Amino acid sequence: MQHVHTSVLVAGGGVTGLTTAAYLASRGVPTVLVERRPAPSPHPRARGFNPRAVEVLRAVGLEAAVAEASRGFDGHTLRARVRSLTGEELLRHDLPGGADLGGLTPCRWALLSQDRLEPLIRARAEELGADVRFGTELTTFEQEDDGVRAQVVHRATGRVAEVRANYLVAADGPRSRVRERLSIPVHGRWGLHHQLSIVFDADLAAPLRGRRFAICQVQNDVVDGLLVHDDTLRQGTLYVRFDPSAEGGTDAFTRQRCAELVRAAIGDPDLPLSIRDTQPWELSAVTAARFRDGRVFLAGDAAHVMPPVSGFGASTGIQDAQNLAWKLAAVVSGEAGARLLDSYEQERLAVAALTVDQCRRRVTNGTGFAAPQRGEGMLDDLTLTFGLRYRSGAVLDEGVDPDVSAYGPADLTGRPGTRLPHVWLRHLGRRISTLDLPAAGPVLLAGPDGDGWRTAAARNELPLVAFDGDTDPDGGWERRFRAAPGEAILLRPDGYVAWRAPAPDDAALATAAGAVRGRADAVPTPVGQRR
């Protein structure tokens, strides 16, 4: 039996697990990822990753590769409801483009599909040093005082390996075996609808008539479903609802019937096409009751399952990965105490529950796919993407409204618990975004009259970035952050504000830095390195 020692074991090689591995590896954390499938799924699955998710991928050096892979989807921003592709348009709405979001983020939507994104993240994770093992299944695990002991099996050969790790990240999908093994319940509802994905090949250039859809809702006498297409205009996917208890279930969807449904959605009964594959799945809205059990953490679909609206499902998983990975990296390296890890569940469970609820509302009131959001209790997409607020032991937010869980774009000014607003800076001879500043650890940002913070920053081993006229030529400090010249902001490695203060205060900064570092709790040495 092979014996493997690592700091973090990741179960699941989808977009969340791969992002976790890439983020950990980028910070030098020994990481092993196992995925039971021998290769990524050929189904497109998630289509479109919002700019906040792309910001996370930017932090591991993937933004350029993602932009290149997305290039063919430039202009695929139309959301519409139609009788058919060749028929009447009932409603249309464009996703905000890069120009529209330039004041909020340096990143754009990535409109490629999940089957194209995952290989990019896997390649980057391996390049950074992660040990990625597809075709390998996590079969058992046990928690111990100083780590996790697991067995993994290479499915093709039956070879068994024992893996000892400090921590286990379960990113193993909606029906997570790790979550079930830990008896963690979920809240919400499975099977709001049962869906069938029909992947097909056809020449869609003529029916599209120059339009490029992010998603198209089709409603006519034959089919009621969602239609998407790729950038070649020769492959598409039709999503239709079915009743698994009805006679025949998915077996009733023969290739002939699937072809008829696709032709009805396109509006051309004679269109030549071929059915490539079909896949049933559940449209669900559930959140795990806990995201942590000792040294095991849930992330992505293992932690929350939401209707596939506006790319929130996969994008939320990518943000889980960043939030957890920077904390694991800080603890494993000894830069932070283990208490910091408590903040993962405190922050991400609340955000996930809110996002799941928002996606459920969009689906149940019929506005989720083709229309701008409306209705009581619904947040707009930009607020849900950029404005959600964290509350945890890693955020000191005294004086911030305790009842506000999300802020609209105009109100994003760097409050504690929120993502720092994007501002272009001159820093170390380069033009960068404020979101690029905390790549390696927490950073203290100080206004143009912030010299009094330098001694406190040095004492707490915090790099300091001064927003003077050269660094901040556009005046973002006062305009975007609504900050006084002598104010300071403590920025976490994930780009979220941990704390801010109006004037130099050594004791307060020490407390804030301690919160971001788990208050100097004891840190375990990676398994296999103990003496």
Side-chain angles (χ1 to χ4, degrees), residues 354-519:
L354 176 59
T355 308
V356 167
D357 178 68
Q358 288 290 311
C359 291
R360 178 193 58 79
R361 289 171 184 263
R362 283 157 166 74
V363 169
T364 55
N365 73 8
T367 66
F369 299 108
Q373 279 65 63
R374 61 182 182 273
E376 185 177 354
M378 291 181 65
L379 302 174
D380 64 87
D381 276 2
L382 290 181
T383 297
L384 199 54
T385 299
F386 296 107
L388 300 188
R389 175 183 166 200
Y390 290 156
R391 294 182 177 89
S392 75
V395 173
L396 280 74
D397 58 357
E398 295 89 346
V400 180
D401 189 338
D403 298 322
V404 176
S405 59
Y407 291 96
D411 295 317
L412 289 176
T413 58
R415 293 176 171 90
T418 65
R419 165 189 162 280
L420 187 74
H422 156 63
V423 172
W424 288 114
L425 305 175
R426 295 193 191 105
H427 183 62
L428 301 178
R430 296 186 301 128
R431 183 174 183 262
I432 67 169
S433 167
T434 45
L435 301 177
D436 299 323
L437 288 172
V443 176
L444 188 67
L445 313 180
D449 295 342
D451 280 347
W453 287 103
R454 293 190 181 278
T455 300
R459 184 175 295 122
N460 287 279
E461 299 181 327
L462 292 168
L464 184 140
V465 176
F467 277 62
D468 54 28
D470 182 58
T471 300
D472 178 27
D474 297 327
W477 184 256
E478 296 185 9
R479 177 177 52 83
R480 292 286 286 127
F481 302 156
R482 297 180 193 169
E487 198 163 350
I489 293 172
L490 183 59
L491 185 60
R492 306 188 331 179
D494 57 355
Y496 277 73
V497 176
W499 170 84
R500 62 189 290 173
D505 186 330
D506 287 19
L509 178 57
T511 299
V516 175
R517 291 168 175 156
R519 302 191 186 277

Side-chain angles (χ1 to χ4, degrees), residues 9 34 66 93 100 157 174 188 200 208-209 220 237 259 277 303 306 313 326 370 408 411 438 461 466 475 520 531:
L9 173 63
V34 295
V66 170
H93 169 63
D100 302 317
T157 64
F200 64 91
L208 285 170
R209 303 199 303 268
N220 59 48
T237 305
D277 198 9
M306 59 195 73
W326 81 258
D411 295 317
E461 299 181 327
R531 297 184 183 275

